[in-house]
Amino acid sequence: QVQLVESGGGLVQAGGSLRLSCAASERTFNNYPMAWFRQAPGKEREFVAGISWTGSSTYYADSVKGRFTISRDNAKTMAYLQMNNLKPEDTAVYYCASRPGLVRRIPGDYNYWGQGTHVTVSS
C-alpha cells in the first residue's frame, strides 16, 4: 500500500513562496497520478493540482493557475507543489493524494492520502 508523507508547510507573508514535497513509500507510486488538495477551516477539501504518472500532463484549479506548479521525480518517488505569489486565501492544510488510473478532481476518488501539512499566509 502506498504511503504518502508531506512536508514543507509553514508561515509565509502574502506574496511569498513555499515548496511542498510529498514522499511516496514505494515505486508503485511511479505508475499512479498524483494530486494536491487543500482544506481550509470550515471548508470542504478542494482540488489544487494534479499530474499524470508520466508527468506529461498537469491540471490546476483556476484559483491557483499561474501561481502554483506541480511536478514529480519518479526516480526519487517524490512529488512537489511550488507555490508562488501566495495569498491569505491559500491558507489551508495541504494534502497529497494518489490513485490508480487518471487524475481526478474529487477527493473521494483517491485511495491514498498523506497526513497533511499546514500552510499559513499572513496579510
Side-chain angles (χ1 to χ4, degrees), residues 19-21 36 69-71 73 76 78-82:
R19 188 195 195 204
L20 305 184
S21 299
W36 288 92
T69 302
I70 189 171
S71 61
D73 183 341
K76 298 180 179 178
M78 294 287 295
Y80 306 97
L81 185 68
Q82 177 67 43

Side-chain angles (χ1 to χ4, degrees), residues 13-29:
Q13 289 188 331
S17 298
L18 281 175
R19 188 195 195 204
L20 305 184
S21 299
C22 176
S25 61
E26 58 183 71
R27 295 199 174 277
T28 308
F29 161 83

Side-chain angles (χ1 to χ4, degrees), residues 79-103:
Y80 306 97
L81 185 68
Q82 177 67 43
M83 306 186 295
N84 297 330
N85 190 21
L86 282 160
K87 304 176 181 180
E89 51 263 43
D90 294 318
T91 295
V93 178
Y94 283 72
Y95 300 89
C96 63
S98 191
R99 66 183 299 278
L102 303 177
V103 172

